[in-house]
Amino acid sequence: METISENRCFGGTQGVYSHDSDATGTRMTFGLFLPEEAEDGPVPVLWFLSGLTCTHENAMVKAGAQGWAAEQGIALVFPDTSPRGEGVPDDDAFDLGQGAGFYVNATQDPWAEHYQMWDYVTDELSVYVANNFAIDPERQSICGHSMGGHGALTIAMSLPDRYRSVSAFAPICNPTESDWGRKQFTAYLGDNTALWEPHDASLLMRETGFPGPVLIDTGTADQFGDLLGTEAMAAAIAARRQNATLRLQPGYDHSYFFISTFMSDHVTFHAEALYGL
Amino acid sequence: METISENRCFGGTQGVYSHDSDATGTRMTFGLFLPEEAEDGPVPVLWFLSGLTCTHENAMVKAGAQGWAAEQGIALVFPDTSPRGEGVPDDDAFDLGQGAGFYVNATQDPWAEHYQMWDYVTDELSVYVANNFAIDPERQSICGHSMGGHGALTIAMSLPDRYRSVSAFAPICNPTESDWGRKQFTAYLGDNTALWEPHDASLLMRETGFPGPVLIDTGTADQFGDLLGTEAMAAAIAARRQNATLRLQPGYDHSYFFISTFMSDHVTFHAEALYGL
């Protein structure tokens, strides 16, 4: 592991680290905020999965999460959104390839060799941070933005014993019916749409739901609103009678200004689940 | 005026605007956060002057100020740190030229034509935002970071009737004795060091002080600590018996992680002055 940077932040430490990943076969970089309490022993952890074009850095510098996490004594992990580097396939479009891993394990060429972001986030990095930092693997929650909201929701519902709560900002909710989904699933997973379904949060919500609480915020002025499939998720939540709060926030768009506005609510929501309040 | 972007943020609006500046002879861009209260009438305003290499954008996306400003009903202005553009002189060094205006009016070639950041910030942009937005010019305070902390302190002490309070994060306090100062003052103002003195916060503190309260935070692990001249400012504050709080924050560096950690304190400090609490 290489320490790229460590900055004192809200009484804790905002670190950036890189390591060799078996899952992706590349060097991967992630951000990790540890609150002051981590000096005394393992603390609960909240994962933040970012959206299209983002690296580990965007949410770490723009979302304003550390202050609230420090207040609750919670660690934050900020994974990258894809493998990167010269030998890693890419696409000219911003929504495919590097910066657009979509939190799946690709099975199709040329993506399959490196694009294993599901395994990287849920398995390798999870073990890695628990082994190397004062993080309690028994107390994990997960959230994300846009493509990362898709990742958070699908991962949480697929691993219901792992995460105590899940939340999302403007998540891609129904990718099998969206241009933010069909294109990428075709590229990464192939033409058999049955293989896409485990990666569609609205379908998972209808089929299995989530045993813990769910919080979703999406702005009414989201410039990508038609791509998100919020309606399908709303209907699925209602049909399943899921323990969930879905908020349409008046006037807010898809930006980090939206995320930072409601970050306090999300961290508090997860803290209640992580501490069993 | 051109509206570059407007995003809903903490119930208010984070805008980015550009306009033709008479002071700099260039197109200038600035960020402006207006809290919800601005819909009903003019609100107090806190200026945030940024440091070397920054544009209007850095503090706007990284400092986490909007949430606290929204809570207090205060507007925030984020000016750029220099004129910019192809016709504007620059230097290969990051600490001279574009991104490094040092909040002075240059008198020397080739800088004098465009580098008039003192006039731009204190005069033109001040009038501009008061005329075009719901901002109360009778209730202004100012803060800044590093080079912007230098700007905030020197501007506040030079215009004591304008600002009710001044604060700074890791300010350049004694530029006439620092490599962050002598080089730039020589370039912008010439060799006569007497003309530098009105732009040295520690000298101003000894000579005139500030009629309102002063708050300064600097990290003990600041990687540029030797360039800041904090000792000179500390001595000047003590000599003058200025109403001031100078805090050396253990373990914090020069980054926005440091700024965001203490932003809540700074906004609260200014709110008390702006509302006469």
Side-chain angles (χ1 to χ4, degrees):
Chain A
M1 181 169 70
E2 181 192 355
T3 299
I4 294 175
S5 62
E6 288 185 333
N7 299 89
R8 198 87 178 147
C9 182
F10 287 96
T13 302
Q14 177 62 59
V16 177
Y17 310 95
S18 71
H19 66 131
D20 290 323
S21 164
D22 291 334
T24 67
T26 64
R27 193 86 183 155
M28 292 294 289
T29 301
F30 64 94
L32 173 71
F33 171 74
L34 285 178
E36 193 172 13
E37 288 82 351
E39 293 170 16
D40 302 321
V43 296
V45 59
L46 174 61
W47 292 74
F48 188 99
L49 305 185
S50 289
L52 289 166
T53 76
C54 290
T55 69
H56 66 282
E57 195 179 17
N58 300 65
M60 195 183 96
V61 300
K62 293 182 182 179
Q66 292 94 344
W68 310 117
E71 204 168 288
Q72 302 285 357
I74 292 172
L76 300 167
V77 186
F78 303 97
D80 204 345
T81 60
S82 78
R84 295 179 192 275
E86 284 197 10
V88 175
D90 200 2
D91 189 275
D92 287 341
F94 76 97
D95 58 3
L96 189 68
Q98 295 189 32
F102 259 79
Y103 305 99
V104 299
N105 292 331
T107 59
Q108 307 295 304
D109 289 334
W111 311 105
E113 184 181 357
H114 297 294
Y115 284 75
Q116 303 291 317
M117 289 302 291
W118 180 278
D119 279 356
Y120 174 68
V121 169
T122 66
D123 188 359
E124 187 175 25
L125 187 58
S126 291
V127 172
Y128 191 85
V129 295
N131 284 349
N132 289 281
F133 298 95
I135 281 174
D136 177 3
E138 299 300 315
R139 289 183 292 171
Q140 299 192 57
S141 290
I142 191 165
C143 69
H145 171 229
S146 195
M147 176 183 74
H150 144 76
L153 290 164
T154 55
I155 286 171
M157 286 189 274
S158 302
L159 298 167
D161 298 331
R162 173 81 64 84
Y163 304 97
R164 298 199 181 183
S165 49
V166 58
S167 77
F169 301 87
I172 301 174
C173 293
N174 194 199
T176 61
E177 302 293 334
S178 169
D179 287 341
W180 275 359
R182 287 187 299 245
K183 169 185 174 179
Q184 293 82 2
F185 289 173
T186 302
Y188 296 145
L189 304 175
D191 292 331
N192 182 354
T193 59
L195 300 176
W196 301 0
E197 292 172 6
H199 296 285
D200 185 301
S202 294
L203 298 180
L204 288 173
M205 180 57 76
R206 281 192 182 268
E207 284 164 27
T208 65
F210 181 68
V214 176
L215 171 62
I216 297 173
D217 276 316
T218 297
T220 63
D222 194 307
Q223 63 269 47
F224 304 111
D226 292 343
L227 292 163
L228 299 179
T230 311
E231 184 180 344
M233 176 55 80
I237 284 171
R240 173 133 218 107
R241 303 190 182 187
Q242 168 70 40
N243 170 4
T245 301
L246 169 63
R247 306 190 298 191
L248 279 293
Q249 298 287 5
Y252 286 89
D253 58 30
H254 202 71
S255 70
Y256 272 91
F257 296 114
F258 158 63
I259 297 174
S260 61
T261 299
F262 299 104
M263 184 54 79
S264 168
D265 291 353
H266 283 241
V267 173
T268 302
F269 163 81
H270 289 294
E272 289 176 357
L274 288 165
Y275 290 113
L277 302 176
Chain B
M1 181 170 71
E2 181 192 355
T3 300
I4 294 174
S5 62
E6 288 185 333
N7 299 89
R8 197 87 179 145
C9 182
F10 287 95
T13 302
Q14 177 61 59
V16 177
Y17 310 95
S18 71
H19 66 131
D20 290 323
S21 164
D22 290 333
T24 68
T26 64
R27 193 86 183 156
M28 292 295 289
T29 301
F30 64 94
L32 174 71
F33 172 74
L34 285 178
E36 193 172 13
E37 288 81 352
E39 293 170 17
D40 302 322
V43 297
V45 60
L46 175 60
W47 292 75
F48 188 99
L49 304 186
S50 289
L52 289 166
T53 77
C54 290
T55 68
H56 67 282
E57 194 179 19
N58 299 64
M60 195 183 96
V61 301
K62 293 183 180 178
Q66 293 93 344
W68 310 117
E71 205 167 285
Q72 302 284 359
I74 292 172
L76 300 166
V77 185
F78 304 97
D80 203 345
T81 60
S82 79
R84 295 179 191 274
E86 284 195 11
V88 176
D90 200 3
D91 189 276
D92 288 340
F94 76 97
D95 58 4
L96 189 67
Q98 295 190 31
F102 259 80
Y103 306 100
V104 299
N105 292 331
T107 58
Q108 306 297 303
D109 289 332
W111 311 105
E113 183 181 358
H114 298 294
Y115 284 75
Q116 302 293 317
M117 288 302 291
W118 179 279
D119 279 356
Y120 175 67
V121 168
T122 65
D123 187 0
E124 186 175 27
L125 187 59
S126 291
V127 172
Y128 192 85
V129 296
N131 284 348
N132 288 281
F133 299 94
I135 282 175
D136 177 3
E138 299 300 316
R139 288 182 294 169
Q140 300 192 55
S141 290
I142 191 164
C143 70
H145 171 228
S146 193
M147 176 184 74
H150 145 75
L153 290 164
T154 55
I155 286 171
M157 286 187 275
S158 302
L159 298 167
D161 298 329
R162 172 83 62 83
Y163 305 97
R164 297 200 181 183
S165 48
V166 58
S167 77
F169 300 88
I172 300 174
C173 293
N174 194 198
T176 61
E177 301 294 334
S178 169
D179 288 341
W180 275 358
R182 286 187 298 245
K183 168 185 173 180
Q184 294 81 3
F185 289 172
T186 302
Y188 297 145
L189 303 176
D191 292 330
N192 182 354
T193 60
L195 300 176
W196 302 359
E197 292 172 7
H199 296 285
D200 185 301
S202 295
L203 298 180
L204 289 173
M205 180 58 75
R206 282 192 181 269
E207 284 164 29
T208 64
F210 182 68
V214 177
L215 171 62
I216 297 174
D217 275 317
T218 297
T220 63
D222 193 307
Q223 63 269 46
F224 304 110
D226 291 344
L227 293 163
L228 299 179
T230 312
E231 184 180 343
M233 176 56 80
I237 285 171
R240 174 138 215 103
R241 302 191 183 187
Q242 168 69 40
N243 171 5
T245 302
L246 169 62
R247 306 190 298 191
L248 279 292
Q249 298 287 5
Y252 287 89
D253 58 30
H254 204 70
S255 70
Y256 272 91
F257 296 113
F258 157 63
I259 298 174
S260 60
T261 298
F262 299 103
M263 184 53 80
S264 167
D265 291 353
H266 284 241
V267 174
T268 302
F269 162 80
H270 289 293
E272 288 176 357
L274 288 165
Y275 289 113
L277 301 175

